[in-house]
Amino acid sequence: MNNTSDVALTDLDMIVGVATPIVSVKPVVLSAPGRGEDLQVRVSAPVTGRELPVIIFSHGFGWSLDGYAPLADFWAAHGFVVIQPTHLDSRTLNIFPQDPRTPRIWLFRVEDVKRILDQLDYIEAAVPGLSGRLDRSRIAVAGHSWGAQTVGMLLGARVLDANGEKGEDMYDSRVKAGVLLAATGQGGADLTPFAAEHFPFMNPSFAEMTTPALIVAGDHDQSMLSVRGPDWFTDPYYLSSGSKSLLTLFGAEHSLGGIPGYTVTETTDENPARVALIQRLSVAYLRSALGLDDSAWPAARAALAETPDPLGRIESK
């Protein structure tokens, strides 16, 4: 880390507080009729504390409940119960493109998160020492890449069909806030021909995405699925309504410095300071968005703004 990054992180550490020991349990298996596979989740939680807020994290394409430790562990160590499902696109399940479920995997992803919400009592009872410690009034969803698209649907985004008509409304009022990491932008003419042909669900309307959310985008994230530049990943902020914040990370590509894991070979922009910034800013944002500490997010925004040569910038609406 350079010195200016150290200053920013020191200030942010004072805002988010010290880490506490955590416990992680996997797999907790949820019955999922009609899915073809039971839903497996990992649950990570601080070993102490009550009335703990919940984050359900949706992984990117191919990943599983074993990914994204830099985020999941940090969130749990700072007071959140983190639940990570393994979606059907995971490489660990090895579902072939010819599988009849493949065209609907994006829908199964949303259903996975809703199933977790429906079965929080079961999940809480399945983890030793967790019973009676969840705060069901403070639930957030977070996701990276395809997982961020999944999150957007739960916050109110809709998929447009070939005629521009809005598809099923998958908004879930139990979710009070979201974090969208490298979320893809609007479809239509902004998609490459390949993406338009193979991923028809990548045609969102963000106008109905009203739930408060933090959108995180890298200004060097050039997608092979879009004919636009890195600004494509800011669409969920600019095209949505309601309370939103946008964190633009300077020099960041799709892995945002390495959030999928500390030793992941597909990370093209490894930057531990960038990951550390995301960790701390996401905690501060969710503490304010979930009503735990109204001062956390304003203080974090001020700390970043006052940092010489910062790693990113924040704007809000």
Side-chain angles (χ1 to χ4, degrees):
M1 287 183 222
N2 59 41
N3 290 335
T4 57
S5 297
D6 287 341
V7 170
L9 295 179
T10 298
D11 291 343
L12 290 170
D13 279 335
M14 294 177 63
I15 295 168
V16 302
V18 298
T20 61
I22 68 171
V23 62
S24 187
V25 175
K26 69 160 190 177
V28 176
V29 181
L30 308 181
S31 177
R35 188 176 183 266
E37 308 273 349
D38 286 337
L39 176 59
Q40 297 191 19
V41 305
R42 174 196 288 266
V43 182
S44 303
V47 297
T48 60
R50 302 188 65 82
E51 298 183 352
L52 301 172
V54 177
I55 302 173
I56 302 173
F57 183 83
S58 179
H59 62 70
F61 174 74
W63 281 91
S64 71
L65 55 75
D66 288 319
Y68 297 90
L71 295 181
D73 290 353
F74 191 87
W75 290 337
H78 288 81
F80 295 86
V81 174
V82 183
I83 304 174
Q84 298 174 261
T86 292
H87 296 302
L88 288 177
D89 57 276
S90 173
R91 289 185 289 265
T92 64
L93 298 180
N94 198 30
I95 291 178
F96 296 104
Q98 299 80 11
D99 190 289
R101 293 169 292 179
T102 297
R104 295 188 68 253
I105 279 184
W106 69 279
L107 288 167
F108 279 111
R109 282 174 146 268
V110 180
E111 292 168 2
D112 288 346
V113 179
K114 287 181 175 284
R115 182 169 281 111
I116 290 169
L117 291 167
D118 292 341
Q119 299 192 42
L120 281 178
D121 287 349
Y122 176 82
I123 294 170
E124 188 178 31
V127 177
L130 190 59
S131 183
R133 298 173 60 208
L134 298 189
D135 184 347
R136 286 165 177 73
S137 70
R138 290 187 167 101
I139 297 174
V141 289
H144 176 237
S145 192
W146 200 359
Q149 190 266 352
T150 302
V151 167
M153 304 301 294
L154 292 153
L155 303 186
R158 307 276 286 276
V159 170
L160 304 176
D161 65 18
N163 298 317
E165 298 295 325
K166 294 172 184 174
E168 182 181 352
D169 183 359
M170 300 180 188
Y171 166 79
D172 198 305
S173 62
R174 293 172 290 186
V175 176
K176 306 305 181 185
V179 178
L180 285 72
L181 300 145
T184 54
Q186 64 182 355
D190 289 347
L191 296 179
T192 64
F194 176 86
E197 178 183 356
H198 292 89
F199 308 120
F201 60 87
M202 292 183 66
N203 192 24
S205 168
F206 294 111
E208 299 80 17
M209 196 176 81
T210 57
T211 304
L214 170 64
I215 290 90
V216 181
D219 70 0
H220 280 50
D221 189 356
Q222 180 59 59
S223 175
M224 294 184 294
L225 301 176
S226 175
V227 298
R228 283 171 53 193
D231 69 303
W232 188 51
F233 292 93
T234 66
D235 283 356
Y237 175 76
Y238 289 111
L239 302 180
S240 64
S241 56
S243 175
K244 300 290 187 296
S245 289
L246 171 65
L247 168 62
T248 301
L249 296 168
F250 304 147
E253 299 177 9
H254 201 60
S255 293
L256 303 176
I259 61 172
Y262 291 110
T263 58
V264 174
T265 56
E266 67 188 53
T267 297
T268 57
D269 63 332
E270 184 175 2
N271 189 317
R274 188 177 295 141
V275 174
L277 184 67
I278 295 170
Q279 290 171 330
R280 288 150 179 82
L281 289 177
S282 59
V283 166
Y285 176 81
L286 288 174
R287 284 187 178 168
S288 289
L290 296 176
L292 295 162
D293 181 356
D294 292 341
S295 68
W297 184 235
R301 290 183 60 189
L304 183 64
E306 294 166 4
T307 301
D309 192 22
L311 295 174
R313 67 173 180 271
I314 296 170
E315 52 195 293
S316 295
K317 62 179 184 179

